[in-house]
Amino acid sequence: NGIVGLARLLLDEPLAEGARKHAELIDSSAQSLLSLVNDILDFSKIEAGQMDVEHVSFNLHELVQDLITLYRLRATDKSLLFRFHLDPAVPRYVKADPVRIRQILGNLLGNALKFTGHGWIGLHVGARPTDTGHELKFVVRDTGPGMAAEVQDKLFQPFMQADSSTSRKYGGTGLGLSIVRQLCDLMGGSVTVE
């Protein structure tokens, strides 16, 4: 966090073009390292049964809007469109773990963005009433290359990536989707891919 903070302070300064590129590389590398450390810590907590999930009331519309703003900007930077639909049946306030929902959606949208070279990524949020409240459904879609059925079957396993070139080309540890699955399970939900 110290490296990230100092890199951001440096980027706020007027820098020569070469120095700016170096500072941006430091910032990007620090963000990647921080993401890796966080994934490993989350995975370890889940495996040890030490991951706590909250059940608090929060504004789901606001959380989703924050994610849309962030990922629409990132999509635009890659010349991608961002599609979004919020079903009118989705309640504004829900009881769940907002940090973990943000983490799950951020991971799924981040993967959609990472693996989509042209076209669009999107998020659809729906809900259906149940006896105890609402069942929420989040669908992340993209126009990326897709994957073979045998990869889909293993996608949510720890350290799984589509092939050995994936980590070299796109980065990542192969832990993100395993963490997504386990967080969904902890919150009484599920995650699938097609």
Side-chain angles (χ1 to χ4, degrees):
N1 282 319
I3 295 168
V4 171
L6 289 171
R8 296 285 166 85
L9 287 173
L10 186 60
L11 286 167
D12 286 343
E13 299 291 325
L15 299 171
E17 186 178 334
R20 178 158 299 282
K21 286 184 181 177
H22 290 148
E24 288 171 351
L25 185 57
I26 290 169
D27 182 55
S28 174
S29 297
Q31 292 291 343
S32 295
L33 183 59
L34 187 59
S35 177
L36 171 68
V37 169
N38 284 335
D39 279 353
I40 291 169
L41 289 173
D42 282 347
F43 184 75
S44 298
K45 283 183 189 174
I46 292 169
E47 289 293 300
Q50 299 297 314
M51 177 65 74
D52 293 324
V53 176
E54 289 189 316
H55 192 74
V56 297
S57 181
F58 68 97
N59 187 329
L60 178 64
H61 290 213
E62 188 176 283
L63 181 147
V64 169
Q65 191 58 53
D66 288 349
L67 286 168
I68 292 165
T69 301
L70 175 64
Y71 283 94
R72 182 171 279 143
L73 285 172
R74 291 183 181 176
T76 300
D77 287 346
K78 280 189 72 174
S79 299
L80 298 172
L81 295 174
F82 187 94
R83 296 181 176 177
F84 171 69
H85 177 73
L86 178 66
D87 190 300
V90 175
R92 179 168 294 278
Y93 291 91
V94 298
K95 278 193 172 182
D97 189 326
V99 172
R100 298 305 170 196
I101 289 177
R102 182 184 300 271
Q103 182 178 3
I104 289 167
L105 292 176
N107 194 302
L108 297 175
L109 287 166
N111 276 357
L113 188 62
K114 183 191 305 186
F115 294 107
T116 303
H118 57 81
W120 55 269
I121 66 170
L123 173 64
H124 174 90
V125 183
R128 68 178 186 83
T130 66
D131 292 340
T132 58
H134 287 85
E135 179 181 278
L136 299 174
K137 183 174 184 178
F138 302 93
V139 180
V140 175
R141 292 191 172 115
D142 63 63
T143 56
M147 63 190 78
E150 60 271 10
V151 174
Q152 290 179 29
D153 292 341
K154 300 174 187 172
L155 194 60
F156 296 101
Q157 294 176 8
F159 306 106
M160 176 57 196
Q161 294 185 325
D163 60 50
S164 60
S165 67
T166 300
S167 60
R168 285 193 303 275
K169 183 174 180 181
Y170 298 103
T173 59
L175 287 175
L177 292 178
S178 174
I179 291 169
V180 164
R181 159 134 318 144
Q182 292 180 65
L183 288 175
C184 287
D185 290 347
L186 283 171
M187 291 190 292
S190 63
V191 61
T192 59
V193 63
E194 62 179 66

